[in-house]
Amino acid sequence: GGPGEAPAPAGAPRPGAAGQRPAENDARLRPVPPAPGTAPRAGTRDTGAAGPLPPEMPPVSEMPLPPQAPPRPTAPPTAATARRRAVGAVDMTPRPGAGRPIIFGRPLAFDDRTTQLRPVGPRSKPRLAAVAACLVLGLGLIGGAVTGSWITGDSDETPSAEALFSAAGDAWHNEPVDALFPPRVKGDGAGPGGADREWTRIAVAPDSTCKNALDPLLRKALQPVGCDRLLRATYTDATRSHVTTVGMLFTKADAESMGALRTRFAEEGLDKRDDLMPRPYAAKGTPAAGFGDKQRASWTVSVLTDAPVVVYAVSGFADGRVVSEPEPAAEAMSAGATSAPAQSGLGHEAKGLADRVERKLRKTVTSTEKSS
């Protein structure tokens, strides 16, 4: 050995000795001998001896085998091994350092027949109080409506036609004058061209028979239904230039006789004959003081079938002028009429006022029957 090297112990093999293999952790590099027949490269030192041989690989039979899984049991599983472990037997708590656990959301399954219902939470006290208040209020309104209907007699039950017919025949002595002839009557759209009208009552005649209140020919035409009572009232318009007398003749006939009379008036045109024109009621000290037979300008006669009543109206000028050619209201109201009654709107006065009084009679009788 060189200087400074410790002597090798006796009996220890020397590195590079014959029959000795270098260890796998030997850091020395083995020189690679040149191929046979070639000269050594320049600059290399010839050691004069072959280097150590590479370690030999052990035989395959001596190499350790990798660990293998245990063989599957060939015997069938017993009841103990086949029994499943109870739910919760396995501890699923993540260990420290395992990281954030992965949580999978529950899948939603829908089909054409079912849907997922939203859970309804407990009702709050304010909501329950509001529901209770609405219920109490609704019951109170219903109860009040029923009570009011019972007190006023306003119910949904409509009297029969026979009851209304009979009640209308007795209205002349059962109803007050204002219920049959109101002090003021509004006629929306009753004037020429759809203008509004308003009439004021200026006189009411005492109830009477038909002997002196109607012309003889008109009494004869109405004889099949008889005359029980005749009520009359006279109105004037807002300008006090026109006067109109409205009459209601209460007959003694039944519904069938009233229907036959109505048919006869329509077929024979009795409501358009000037010799069957009703007479006016002239009251002293009123704008109708000079309203006589010669001042009659236009008229209308309506035979009712739902009541034993004949309603009529006759109109004229308040200044007492004579009308030589009176005209039925239906003709005076026609388009293009040029007569004096048509131009002055007296046809609309007679027809409009008669229609409003007729409606008032029906409304009064129906209300009386409902309340009785």
Side-chain angles (χ1 to χ4, degrees), residues 7-15 17-18 20:
R14 291 180 301 175
Q20 183 182 0

Side-chain angles (χ1 to χ4, degrees), residues 222 247-251 258 261 301-304 308-312:
L222 298 174
M248 287 191 289
L249 189 154
F250 291 83
T251 70
M258 295 300 294
L261 181 63
V301 178
S302 177
V303 180
L304 308 185
V309 180
V310 177
V311 180
Y312 68 84

Side-chain angles (χ1 to χ4, degrees), residues 2-367:
E5 293 181 359
R14 291 180 301 175
Q20 183 182 0
R21 295 181 181 177
E24 291 295 330
N25 55 2
D26 192 358
R28 290 181 302 171
L29 299 178
R30 291 182 290 106
V32 179
T38 59
R41 290 181 297 177
T44 61
R45 188 178 63 173
D46 187 8
T47 59
L53 297 177
E56 297 179 1
M57 296 295 292
V60 178
S61 59
E62 299 180 3
M63 293 182 65
L65 297 177
Q68 297 182 359
R72 295 183 179 179
T74 57
T78 62
T81 59
R83 185 171 59 249
R84 298 179 58 183
R85 283 181 288 183
V87 178
V90 180
D91 186 9
M92 303 299 294
T93 305
R95 297 180 179 179
R100 185 177 180 181
I102 300 177
I103 301 175
F104 295 94
R106 182 180 180 182
L108 298 178
F110 299 93
D111 56 16
D112 294 335
R113 297 169 309 217
T114 61
T115 183
Q116 188 179 14
L117 298 180
R118 180 173 58 87
V120 179
R123 295 183 181 271
S124 60
K125 292 184 178 180
R127 182 180 299 179
L128 292 176
V131 172
C134 292
L135 180 60
V136 173
L137 180 59
L139 293 177
L141 292 176
I142 295 174
V146 173
T147 304
S149 175
W150 177 77
I151 293 176
T152 61
D154 186 12
S155 62
D156 294 334
E157 295 182 1
T158 302
S160 62
E162 293 78 6
L164 291 175
F165 188 92
S166 177
D170 298 332
W172 68 271
H173 60 79
N174 289 339
E175 302 295 339
V177 174
D178 291 349
L180 301 177
F181 298 116
R184 290 184 180 273
V185 178
K186 290 185 177 181
D188 297 338
D196 296 337
R197 282 288 189 267
E198 184 175 350
W199 301 279
T200 303
R201 191 184 67 195
I202 57 176
V204 177
D207 61 288
S208 63
T209 62
C210 301
K211 183 176 180 180
N212 298 323
L214 301 177
D215 284 343
L217 287 179
L218 183 57
R219 291 201 312 268
K220 184 178 181 179
L222 298 174
Q223 187 175 1
V225 295
C227 179
D228 189 14
R229 219 65 176 169
L230 179 63
L231 304 181
R232 294 173 294 170
T234 300
Y235 290 79
T236 185
D237 66 334
T239 63
R240 289 183 168 263
S241 59
H242 301 153
V243 288
T244 305
T245 295
V246 185
M248 287 191 289
L249 189 154
F250 291 83
T251 70
K252 301 177 182 180
D254 55 10
E256 184 178 357
S257 299
M258 295 300 294
L261 181 63
R262 182 186 181 94
T263 301
R264 181 187 175 193
F265 263 70
E267 292 178 351
E268 299 180 11
L270 301 181
D271 56 339
K272 298 179 181 179
R273 288 174 51 172
D274 56 1
D275 57 348
L276 298 178
M277 189 168 29
R279 286 180 175 177
Y281 173 69
K284 295 180 179 181
T286 68
F291 189 26
D293 291 347
K294 294 182 179 180
Q295 284 73 33
R296 294 177 293 184
S298 187
W299 78 96
T300 181
V301 178
S302 177
V303 180
L304 308 185
T305 57
D306 56 347
V309 180
V310 177
V311 180
Y312 68 84
V314 56
S315 61
F317 294 101
D319 57 3
R321 76 180 71 176
V322 176
V323 179
S324 58
E325 295 183 0
E327 189 174 24
E331 296 179 2
M333 294 172 60
S334 62
T338 58
S339 62
Q343 294 294 327
S344 59
L346 289 174
H348 290 82
E349 295 288 315
K351 182 63 175 175
L353 191 54
D355 287 348
R356 269 61 182 183
V357 170
E358 181 179 327
R359 297 176 191 174
K360 181 62 176 177
L361 173 64
R362 288 193 176 97
K363 184 177 180 180
T364 300
V365 171
T366 303
S367 179

